[in-house]
Amino acid sequence: MMCINVDSLPINEKIKDILKKRGIQKLNPPQTEAVQKGLLDDKPLLIVSPTASGKTLMAELGMVSHLINKGGKAVYATPLRALTNEKYVTFKDWEQLGLKVAMTSGDYDTDDYWLKDYDIIVATYEKLDSLWRHNSPWIKEVDYFVLDEFHYMNDPERGPVVESVAVRAKRKGTILALSATIGNYKQIAEWLKADVVATNWRPVPLKEGVLYAGNKKKDFVVMYKDGTSRKVYGECPIVAFTLDVISKDGQVLVFRSSRKYAEATAVKISQFMNFVKLNDKKLHEVAESIKEVEDGGSNEKEALYNLILKGVAYHHAGLSKGLRDIIENAFRDRIIKVIVATPTLAAGVNLPARAVVIGDIHRFNRKVIGFTEYIPVMEYKQMSGRAGRPGFDEYGESVVVVRTKSEVDKVMQRYLNSDVEPLESKLGSESAFYSFILSIISSEEDVTERTLTEYIQDTLLPKELAKKYFKQALNWLLDNEFIAQEGEYLTLTKFGRRISDLYLNTFTAVTIKDVLTRNGKGCELAYFHMLAYTPDGPLVSITKAEEDVLLDELDCELFIEEPYDEYELSNYLSSLKVAFIMRDWIEEVDEDTILGRYGIGSGDLRAIVDTMDWLTYSGFHVASVLGLEEHKEVLEKLHMRVKDGVKEELIPLVKVPGIGRVRARLLYSHGIKTPEEIIMNPEKVKQLLGPKLGEKIVREAARAIT
């Protein structure tokens, strides 16, 4: 295919100037095909092309052309907050055209009215769904929707929201759906009423292979998809292949199925990095910056410090955002040579490498205790697609590690020579379907059963299943007082409106409602346990040793009785562990102590705190709308304590920006207990916190009380 020169594009000259400043003189083949199929003319498109093939630029051209030619607003939806921030930074270029760019994620109980003044809005799928529910006036102006990482529709947890957003978006404006991997793209394009751009073109060719032990000790063979092979030498296959790539000035991403494996593999690789040429000065700077991260645990920082000095790091959700950011940036800057990660990295930030090693093709199924399963082909494609850095590599390599030569053909057939799984509707569960119905009633006017039927017919759900769920959903929502029927119209009750605005799972709402109306005031642990036990609660793993300890340490009566079912008991104990973590947190137990006591990472703790912050807020509002004053009072205080992890007396101080649990306790212990006392004692505050920080805190305290 001929590639279009930027100069010949029928677009504004200022757009061309911005592209040229980025070094783009012509569009690549997928981008060219998208333009030929109407990208610049508001045509709905489904673009399926590999990682690094320029899908983001296609989205930018589509959005900007639409806004300049037709006005309105454009939303770019992503499945992950990290991607939201990444795209926001990229899109800021377009402010040179007078377009205003904003991003929003989290905080579901708001209509973000401030976004009325912005043209391009980057949001997570959940946030976009939440904004529709709030009926903010500006949301009606959005008539161009970019749906990124659209294959997330196959994710059991995120898929229902992605599908729900797609159903609305195709009714309200132009859709541009983007993905690296969709097997049944023709069916999906037809469903979206969009034309297709589907290509295997990559800016850097990919060599896919399988890595296995050879006939001699310390010999390992890479058998490639095209029939060629080569050998690498070393102590184990992952180390041997990794060192081979690094010795040729490459970088490697190694994917392992668990955090434990990722950390152990990083340590093992680091033991052989003495033979590799590294930039010791820059590695030392990166390692030192790890020590300064405020939101990381001491043990994590020490482990990463020692690894980074050797050019290696591990990466998983257990690490704090601050630690992950440093690791990702140092890898992008080619200072760190190897990252050993869990598969979540493949679905997140843009982090290409010369080579990718997939160390495991099995993983544990958390829902079936003791059961392992093959990873999906889509997951393999997401990981292998990270191989090959545009501008650095002539080709990328991805290898799957197997134990014996006899497994090579099986893996080749299952992953290297196979199409990805088809996208299918994930609305086929009661929880997902009921939430979908509630969201439509909350966001549309004059909703009747016919209105809902039309929306349901627009989903990917099999028609018979949709029909079966429809009546069941209406009856359940009516019985549980989420909705009311007035003649032919369906409306939200006061309770239903609050639940929709809070963006709570309907089953979470019913659990909270039932427990609070059935019980009198309880202990802090009981409230935390109830909230963690809901479908929206955070999950943590439980070891056999912890099971008895958790029950033995239980010192007050819980709202929810211990179940007999093994799976429910597992959830019950997970929720109890979360409750203990949260109680320690609000009692100001040292963060390192919490991490060590419960065997979690700093990233886990932050995720638990964020979720429980939202759930205590939601619980408070459920109690409020139900008129349960006793519970309302307890939950309100718990919510105020959860975010910063403080005892009740520190609540006034942590309301001042810049004051967290440690600084608040320091000020309080020296007799400064309120924002007013901060203002009255500026010199003492500077003495305790340091001159610069102290002065800033005094200014913030003054703002906080005005």
Side-chain angles (χ1 to χ4, degrees), residues 497-570:
R497 166 55 65 192
R498 202 71 201 92
I499 298 311
S500 179
D501 284 351
L502 289 166
Y503 207 67
L504 274 183
N505 181 304
T506 51
F507 286 91
T508 294
V510 167
T511 299
I512 296 172
K513 179 184 177 185
D514 288 350
V515 168
L516 295 185
T517 51
R518 208 171 51 230
N519 292 278
K521 184 177 176 181
C523 63
E524 292 168 348
L525 210 61
Y527 288 98
F528 284 139
H529 180 254
M530 168 194 70
L531 295 169
Y533 193 56
T534 66
D536 286 314
L539 277 173
V540 292
S541 58
I542 297 283
T543 64
K544 283 289 181 189
E546 284 179 310
E547 289 185 12
D548 292 334
V549 172
L550 286 169
L551 293 170
D552 287 344
E553 290 185 356
L554 191 55
D555 53 10
C556 69
E557 192 174 339
L558 300 178
F559 290 138
I560 298 167
E561 293 181 4
E562 187 178 330
Y564 294 103
D565 175 82
E566 187 179 1
Y567 177 63
E568 281 305 313
L569 179 60
S570 175

Side-chain angles (χ1 to χ4, degrees), residues 210-447:
V210 182
L211 177 62
Y212 64 95
N215 295 324
K216 296 179 182 177
K217 192 177 180 183
K218 296 190 179 183
D219 275 17
F220 301 97
V221 180
V222 184
M223 177 64 70
Y224 292 104
K225 185 177 175 179
D226 62 8
T228 61
S229 65
R230 71 183 181 95
K231 285 189 175 183
V232 292
Y233 306 92
E235 295 299 316
C236 81
I238 292 176
V239 173
F241 182 82
T242 298
L243 293 179
D244 181 78
V245 173
I246 295 170
S247 68
K248 297 166 186 171
D249 198 31
Q251 289 174 284
V252 184
L253 285 176
V254 180
F255 289 106
R256 300 304 313 264
S257 61
S258 72
R259 297 177 185 184
K260 187 177 177 182
Y261 288 164
E263 292 177 15
T265 303
V267 170
K268 191 167 188 178
I269 292 170
S270 73
Q271 293 166 353
F272 296 89
M273 293 294 282
N274 295 334
F275 307 104
V276 176
K277 185 180 177 184
L278 299 168
N279 188 328
D280 292 332
K281 183 183 175 185
K282 288 195 173 179
L283 284 171
H284 188 264
E285 289 172 4
V286 174
E288 286 297 320
S289 67
I290 286 284
K291 281 185 175 179
E292 295 166 12
V293 172
E294 287 186 16
D295 62 353
S298 299
N299 290 340
E300 294 168 337
K301 290 193 276 191
E302 185 180 352
L304 285 167
Y305 179 90
N306 293 323
L307 285 171
I308 287 169
L309 289 176
K310 297 182 179 181
V312 182
Y314 57 82
H315 185 295
H316 54 63
L319 294 179
S320 70
K321 186 178 184 302
L323 293 173
R324 295 198 307 266
D325 285 347
I326 289 173
I327 292 164
E328 290 163 15
N329 290 331
F331 192 80
R332 284 193 192 96
D333 293 338
R334 306 187 72 199
I335 300 167
I336 289 176
K337 299 297 181 184
V338 185
I339 290 180
V340 189
T342 50
T344 49
L345 180 66
V349 291
N350 180 26
L351 212 64
R354 162 83 61 80
V356 165
V357 179
I358 298 164
D360 311 280
I361 54 171
H362 296 92
R363 68 174 172 211
F364 286 100
N365 184 329
R366 291 188 67 173
K367 293 185 178 178
V368 185
I369 297 166
F371 179 72
T372 60
E373 60 188 2
Y374 279 107
I375 63 170
V377 178
M378 186 176 287
E379 194 169 301
Y380 162 76
K381 297 287 187 187
Q382 287 292 315
M383 290 187 283
S384 63
R386 298 285 162 185
R389 301 162 303 173
F392 290 107
D393 301 324
E394 290 182 19
Y395 63 89
E397 272 187 277
S398 74
V399 296
V400 179
V401 181
V402 297
R403 291 183 180 180
T404 63
K405 189 177 179 181
S406 62
E407 294 178 86
V408 172
D409 288 342
K410 189 191 298 182
V411 170
M412 284 266 190
Q413 201 59 37
R414 177 179 280 272
Y415 293 108
L416 280 66
N417 297 316
S418 179
D419 292 328
V420 297
E421 298 83 3
L423 286 195
E424 296 174 337
S425 178
K426 293 294 181 285
L427 283 170
S429 72
E430 291 176 341
S431 175
F433 193 81
Y434 296 179
S435 287
F436 174 67
I437 295 294
L438 194 68
S439 73
I440 302 302
I441 297 172
S442 68
S443 60
E444 300 299 318
E445 296 174 0
D446 300 328
V447 176

